[in-house]
Amino acid sequence: GAPTVSIFQKPPGLIPPGGSTTICCTCQRGYGSFVLYKGGQQLHTLKQSGSRAEFSISNATYKDRGTYVCHYLEGGIVLARSDELEVSVEELHLPRPDLSVLPGHKVAVGADVMLRCTATHPSTGCYLYREGWIRALLLSGEQSYHNLSHVQEGDSGRYSCQCYTAINALREWSAVSRSLDLVVR
């Protein structure tokens, strides 16, 4: 079958000007090459280690924001394209929220887990990130939490969250929370 390509940001979240992040492209086939596009423009051919390639953004500016896509090539032929990854660069004015996990960081398969993002200021909403996800999960309401019921090993990973306050049409963003590793055994 045709290979599939994933794209994600590590660490996830909005990047402040001057901040840094890495765009990761992965493919289960490990012998081709990746080309990174932004807004339809070819940026880089990425060097690969195993089945993944990484592109670092450091000292980010507003020019770095946009839509990124990875193409996977073998012998110069594009075999697969990733979904689109939106990268955002914004001033982060609000303090970072706290991410907590109940009942704890290490749980057994089948357990029910709650990830709670607690803003230190009144917030409109929070986003839950997981390293490897292409999109964040919007958590709304006063209690910003996400329930994972009957967790599987695939729910293991590194989670973080980020909150915003909407005043008029403007969004003010928090810094990203400290990340938290969930281990499902």
Side-chain angles (χ1 to χ4, degrees):
T4 56
V5 176
S6 300
I7 185 170
F8 61 94
Q9 194 184 320
K10 178 183 126 186
L14 280 76
I15 315 155
S20 60
T21 193
T22 299
I23 295 171
C24 302
C25 304
T26 63
C27 180
Q28 71 275 38
R29 305 242 283 254
Y31 37 80
S33 60
F34 292 99
V35 177
L36 184 66
Y37 286 80
K38 177 185 170 216
Q41 299 286 318
Q42 183 172 333
L43 282 188
H44 296 275
T45 299
L46 301 179
K47 291 187 214 42
Q48 204 169 332
S49 58
S51 57
R52 78 190 263 165
E54 298 189 341
F55 167 66
S56 294
I57 295 174
S58 55
N59 201 5
T61 70
Y62 293 116
K63 291 194 185 99
D64 291 309
R65 56 179 161 196
T67 305
Y68 291 80
V69 176
C70 279
H71 291 194
Y72 175 77
L73 293 77
E74 286 176 12
I77 296 160
V78 177
L79 293 188
R81 292 178 178 87
S82 70
D83 288 336
E84 296 184 340
L85 173 71
E86 283 296 329
V87 171
S88 299
V89 178
E90 299 282 349
E91 295 276 354
L92 305 179
H93 294 297
L94 303 175
R96 65 178 172 195
D98 286 320
L99 183 63
S100 56
V101 59
L102 295 166
H105 293 257
K106 294 180 180 168
V107 294
V109 167
D112 292 338
V113 170
M114 179 196 280
L115 292 158
R116 175 176 281 155
C117 186
T118 309
T120 53
H121 51 83
S123 84
T124 306
C126 300
Y127 284 92
L128 180 69
Y129 304 124
R130 182 176 140 199
E131 200 172 282
W133 279 353
I134 187 165
R135 284 186 187 76
L137 196 64
L138 177 61
L139 308 174
S140 57
E142 282 299 298
Q143 293 293 337
S144 289
Y145 63 87
H146 177 60
N147 286 318
L148 292 168
S149 47
H150 307 298
V151 291
Q152 303 302 314
E153 284 178 19
D155 293 311
S156 293
R158 176 160 290 177
Y159 292 85
S160 56
C161 67
Q162 189 166 26
C163 301
Y164 69 93
T165 301
I167 302 163
N168 303 326
L170 293 171
R171 280 191 178 189
E172 288 273 311
W173 287 91
S174 77
V176 181
S177 71
R178 287 191 175 84
S179 60
L180 183 153
D181 290 314
L182 177 67
V183 181
V184 181
R185 299 223 165 102

